[in-house]
Amino acid sequence: MNTAQFDLIIVGAGILGLSAAIQAAEQGLKVQVFEKYAQPIGATRRNFGMVGTSTLSRPNAKWREYALATREFYQRIQAQADISFQQRNGLYLANTELEWLVLNEFAQAAADYQIPVSLLSKQQLFDQYAYLNPETALRGAMVFHEDYSVEPHLVGLRLLQYAEKLGVQIYCNASVVLTQFNQGMAHIRLASGQTFTANKVMICHGEETQLLYPELLQQKGLLRCTLQMALTKPLKVNLKASIYSGLSISRYPAFEICPSHQDLRNESQIGLVEKYGIHILIKQNEFGQIILGDSHEYYPIEDIPQFNQREEINQFILQYCKENIGLELPEIESRWNGYYLTHPTELACVMEAETNIFLVSAIAGKGMTTGAGFMKEMLENYIL
């Protein structure tokens, strides 16, 4: 059998592709990465930069293990190169009786799962976060002490640079238009006509589904999720935390362990919130600006991506922040849509499209928090 010069080609330099490339190189593999744009601009760039280690999965689920492994991945790299990873508390705010009840129930259970949290009474909340308006109906909050933050405009570029230092060959502005396995090797062809070979190929294609194995992806029943997000002008105060609304308590899987969670979902998942999957996140970046969102609309991947924003969603989010969180936001500076793929029942999709050519997709909105741990296992299962 012929032996390729490289062990692994990775298509896509988002968080999944880069974390796989770095970990493969650390295992001694010779790796090439091909990114169709000048830098990562997909979900790795168009997100909040919140690393919610404790809440994106049930505490006893496999994805919690991926989140802890991802935290270790970031910490290990941050000790050597500044990728903008830092600890930043997650502050979950409760407005209603049920939201407050669920937080109390979670506080009772958190120690069983080694999740460090603190419940804040209404008075403690306003003492510690004085920028919140006490005239709102806030009843209290919970602080998650093992939440973290990255800067979305930096983390992809910094990980790319770190991968290069490990010896990973990076090709940007390099669009892969064909992958195939023949004569014992995996081959890729770029739009430029150049071809490359490796023993194996891993395609981390994000929400792009039109070029490589489109029929296979459609048969899988994947959905594209559109998210509306915004960026404000700088806020003069330091929020000192990433803020999650009560709508996030009803949405995030960790809280499903609480006896009253289903009652909370029944109460809150109505109207625009249910129709557009709205829950409100507030994250301050290094410039003091607020990254604000978001919403979730789902379409089959063969439909056109949604290019417009719904103003009713934007107005709902601004109104909610003012009335329920008591935070006067600065003027909106820009808006954008984010996109990711998801599956109706599976938490991620991994397929061997051809011999030694693997598609990894539909990690949904969990990539920044769980991606490196997930890809570590994918490498162990399919590549190493």
Side-chain angles (χ1 to χ4, degrees):
M1 179 184 290
N2 295 326
T3 302
Q5 183 180 358
F6 282 82
D7 299 300
L8 177 63
I9 284 174
I10 293 174
V11 180
I15 192 65
L16 295 188
L18 287 174
S19 62
I22 289 167
Q23 292 175 100
E26 289 172 338
Q27 293 294 318
L29 271 60
K30 297 186 70 176
V31 183
Q32 291 176 311
V33 174
F34 294 84
E35 165 58 42
K36 65 181 174 298
Y37 296 117
Q39 58 180 266
I41 64 160
T44 301
R45 174 65 182 86
R46 306 181 198 189
N47 71 90
F48 291 90
M50 291 165 151
V51 184
T53 307
S54 308
T55 54
L56 289 191
S57 74
R58 294 177 70 102
N60 55 354
K62 184 72 175 176
W63 289 89
R64 164 80 172 157
E65 297 175 26
Y66 295 149
L68 294 174
T70 300
R71 178 180 68 180
E72 188 277 331
F73 171 83
Y74 289 137
Q75 287 173 329
R76 176 165 48 82
I77 296 176
Q78 182 65 36
Q80 304 171 63
D82 182 11
I83 58 170
S84 76
F85 183 71
Q86 58 181 313
Q87 195 277 330
R88 185 180 298 181
N89 288 343
L91 180 67
Y92 282 76
L93 301 175
N95 288 96
T96 69
E97 290 284 1
L98 270 174
E99 289 168 358
W100 182 233
L101 178 58
V102 169
L103 289 185
N104 278 269
E105 291 171 351
F106 193 89
Q108 292 292 315
D112 295 338
Y113 301 101
Q114 292 80 52
I115 298 176
V117 298
S118 300
L119 263 182
L120 300 181
S121 68
K122 184 173 183 176
Q123 189 59 54
Q124 290 170 323
L125 173 63
F126 293 123
D127 286 347
Q128 293 187 35
Y129 301 93
Y131 54 78
L132 296 175
N133 184 353
E135 299 300 315
T136 57
L138 286 167
R139 296 173 183 268
M142 179 179 283
V143 177
F144 282 78
H145 297 287
E146 63 173 15
D147 273 18
Y148 296 83
S149 169
V150 294
E151 297 291 337
H153 67 285
L154 289 177
V155 65
L157 283 172
R158 297 280 173 84
L159 287 172
L160 191 148
Q161 292 163 359
Y162 183 81
E164 281 189 308
K165 288 180 180 177
L166 290 181
V168 176
Q169 284 192 11
I170 308 280
Y171 296 84
C172 292
N173 290 316
S175 181
V176 177
V177 295
L178 178 71
T179 56
Q180 60 184 175
F181 182 85
N182 60 47
Q183 297 182 328
M185 289 188 291
H187 302 255
I188 73 164
R189 187 171 77 222
L190 304 185
S192 65
Q194 289 177 283
T195 60
F196 298 82
T197 59
N199 294 326
K200 295 183 178 181
V201 170
M202 184 174 277
I203 302 170
C204 302
H205 55 86
E207 60 99 15
E208 298 288 339
T209 60
Q210 300 87 356
L211 281 179
L212 304 176
Y213 308 103
E215 292 182 355
L216 185 60
L217 293 169
Q218 288 179 26
Q219 291 166 9
K220 192 70 177 174
L222 298 178
L223 301 174
R224 178 178 285 105
C225 181
T226 300
L227 308 91
Q228 290 187 196
M229 302 179 68
L231 185 72
T232 74
K233 292 186 175 179
L235 183 69
K236 291 184 171 59
V237 301
N238 181 354
L239 296 184
K240 299 181 293 184
S242 297
I243 297 177
Y244 299 77
S245 71
L247 297 176
S248 303
I249 302 170
S250 73
R251 185 174 180 88
Y252 280 162
F255 298 102
E256 292 173 4
I257 65 170
C258 301
S260 302
H261 184 260
Q262 187 58 51
D263 289 338
L264 175 58
R265 283 193 62 83
N266 293 341
E267 176 187 82
S268 62
Q269 296 299 308
I270 57 175
L272 284 184
V273 171
E274 178 188 33
K275 184 177 181 180
Y276 297 126
I278 300 171
H279 75 124
I280 290 155
L281 306 175
I282 297 172
K283 156 74 186 298
Q284 194 166 33
N285 69 16
E286 65 174 343
F287 308 113
Q289 299 163 296
I290 303 299
I291 305 173
L292 177 68
D294 61 358
S295 58
H296 302 78
E297 295 186 64
Y298 300 92
Y299 303 87
I301 57 173
E302 56 267 32
D303 288 1
I304 59 169
Q306 183 183 330
F307 64 89
N308 60 300
Q309 288 210 343
R310 299 184 190 276
E311 189 57 26
E312 61 183 331
I313 294 175
N314 295 331
Q315 292 305 315
F316 178 93
I317 291 173
L318 292 175
Q319 195 73 10
Y320 187 101
C321 289
K322 184 175 182 179
E323 294 180 359
N324 295 71
I325 296 175
L327 186 62
E328 288 288 344
L329 293 169
E331 181 184 344
I332 300 294
E333 190 170 279
S334 60
R335 296 188 184 278
W336 68 94
N337 287 342
Y339 303 98
Y340 63 67
L341 298 186
T342 188
H343 188 275
T345 57
E346 298 175 25
L347 292 175
C349 292
V350 182
M351 296 175 280
E352 189 169 10
E354 298 183 48
T355 303
N356 287 348
I357 299 177
F358 302 90
L359 291 167
V360 184
S361 68
I363 197 172
K366 306 181 297 294
M368 197 62 76
T369 296
T370 64
F374 176 70
M375 294 309 292
K376 179 173 185 266
E377 187 168 290
M378 295 306 100
L379 290 171
E380 292 166 353
N381 289 347
Y382 301 106
I383 306 300
L384 297 175

